[in-house]
Amino acid sequence: MDRIKEFLNFEFFTIKDFTFTVQSLFVILIAFLITRVLLWIIKKVMFRKKDIDFAKRGTLASVYQIIAYTAWIFTILIVLDSFHIKITVLLAGSAALLVGVGLGLQNTFNDFVSGFILLFEGSIRVGDILEVDGDLIKIRKIGLRTSEAFNRDDIVVIIPNSIITTNKVINWSHQSKKTRFRIKVGVAYGSDVDLVERLLIESAREHPEVVNDEMIRARFSDFGNSSLDFELLFYSKNIFRIENVKSDIRKTINRKFIENKVTIPFPQMDLHLKSDDTK
């Protein structure tokens, strides 16, 4: 027993009135281990249902992040208090340092504040599909300083939180479950307009990712320089991979146009040459 006490009281280092011993190390390890176990249990309880819908899962992920950050802050405070380290003394002693750091790291602190806004406000959730700077991304983690997402090429994108909170961001997940998209196509002058519209609608109806067949529309949008311009409008739930859906529909349109002898023109330019009659 005496050997155990002697081992626990073994001193690593001493700073003024504070002595760091083996017992202190065990206190830190146990506190952090308890916190990890509690967070693991909380996460298991929160996500125990496998059939949680998309929106609720994103909300639960944000709530869990808040709980996790709060738990770690309390753990650190409890550990410091157990060592009789006064937080107020630390803050007062480092006030000047914090001011200097704050001036040099304004953007970083802005990202931290933005992280809290995202987590508490809930306007952006894990799993949401965003359009940021023209790039479509899917959020997979919201952190305090940065958020992680992946784009349609499955490349992980790290985004400072301040970009999401201060810039114009389109949240496609805030739409209804389906979103309307459009495909533009031009046909040669002299083509049967009614036939073109019918072929466009048929092409969209044949794709399994297109929903609400009665909402499919084909519009004769304009008289172009070398073509009659049309728009095909359709609804789909596959927002993130919609370019694949559009590609499939374009292939169908091209096939149907060939079968029905509808021509897609290429840009043409008339060149007029004048002869020099002075010679």
Side-chain angles (χ1 to χ4, degrees):
M1 193 69 178
D2 292 336
R3 288 185 178 181
I4 295 175
K5 288 183 179 180
E6 184 180 348
F7 173 72
L8 292 176
N9 292 325
F10 177 78
E11 298 180 1
F12 288 109
F13 58 85
T14 301
I15 301 176
K16 292 186 178 180
D17 296 331
F18 174 71
T19 302
F20 191 81
T21 62
V22 174
Q23 184 177 354
S24 304
L25 180 62
F26 275 116
V27 170
I28 294 174
L29 291 176
I30 292 171
F32 277 74
L33 181 62
I34 291 173
T35 305
R36 287 294 298 269
V37 172
L38 284 175
L39 289 176
W40 179 80
I41 294 172
I42 291 171
K43 189 173 184 179
K44 285 294 182 181
V45 171
M46 291 178 67
F47 295 93
R48 66 186 183 277
K49 295 182 179 179
K50 301 296 183 181
D51 57 344
I52 301 176
D53 61 46
F54 175 80
K56 190 173 181 180
R57 181 171 291 274
T59 302
L60 287 176
S62 297
V63 172
Y64 173 76
Q65 285 289 92
I66 296 170
I67 293 173
Y69 289 132
T70 305
W72 284 118
I73 290 172
F74 273 106
T75 300
I76 293 171
L77 292 175
I78 290 170
V79 169
L80 292 176
D81 185 66
S82 67
F83 294 149
H84 306 289
I85 298 175
K86 302 299 181 182
I87 304 299
T88 54
V89 175
L90 287 176
L91 292 176
S94 59
L97 177 62
L98 290 174
V99 171
V101 172
L103 291 174
L105 300 176
Q106 292 183 41
N107 292 335
T108 301
F109 283 119
N110 188 16
D111 291 332
F112 276 111
V113 173
S114 299
F116 276 108
I117 292 172
L118 291 177
L119 290 171
F120 281 95
E121 188 179 50
S123 58
I124 307 295
R125 298 185 295 262
V126 173
D128 280 2
I129 298 171
L130 309 181
E131 186 173 335
V132 182
D133 294 333
D135 192 16
L136 207 64
I137 58 174
K138 191 171 186 178
I139 299 293
R140 73 176 189 179
K141 180 182 178 182
I142 299 176
L144 270 183
R145 194 183 68 84
T146 60
S147 295
E148 286 186 15
F150 58 91
N151 60 18
R152 287 186 286 197
D153 296 322
D154 290 327
I155 298 173
V156 176
V157 182
I158 308 297
I159 310 168
N161 289 328
S162 59
I163 290 179
I164 300 176
T165 57
T166 58
N167 290 7
K168 180 181 177 181
V169 174
I170 298 175
N171 191 333
W172 288 92
S173 300
H174 280 196
Q175 310 292 113
S176 59
K177 291 184 178 180
K178 60 183 182 296
T179 303
R180 191 170 75 170
F181 300 94
R182 65 189 64 205
I183 293 175
K184 295 181 180 181
V185 63
V187 299
Y189 273 91
S191 300
D192 186 335
V193 173
D194 294 329
L195 173 63
V196 171
E197 290 183 345
R198 179 170 61 81
L199 295 177
L200 291 175
I201 292 173
E202 289 177 359
S203 300
R205 282 178 176 166
E206 290 180 8
H207 199 284
E209 295 285 352
V210 174
V211 298
N212 293 91
D213 289 355
E214 68 279 2
M215 298 296 292
I216 299 173
R217 295 288 183 270
R219 292 178 181 171
F220 180 14
S221 59
D222 202 358
F223 294 94
N225 291 331
S226 57
S227 64
L228 301 176
D229 296 334
F230 289 81
E231 280 185 338
L232 172 63
L233 299 98
F234 62 93
Y235 284 87
S236 178
K237 296 179 181 179
N238 190 353
I239 300 171
F240 197 58
R241 301 292 181 185
I242 192 61
E243 294 304 321
N244 294 337
V245 177
K246 287 183 177 181
S247 176
D248 294 338
I249 295 175
R250 289 188 184 104
K251 291 177 184 177
T252 306
I253 292 172
N254 186 62
R255 174 174 56 80
K256 287 183 176 293
F257 278 7
I258 293 173
E259 292 173 354
N260 291 272
K261 296 181 173 55
V262 176
T263 304
I264 298 177
F266 53 87
Q268 300 180 21
M269 180 180 295
D270 294 330
L271 183 63
H272 298 277
L273 301 176
K274 291 185 178 181
S275 59
D276 190 354
D277 297 333
T278 58
K279 293 183 179 179

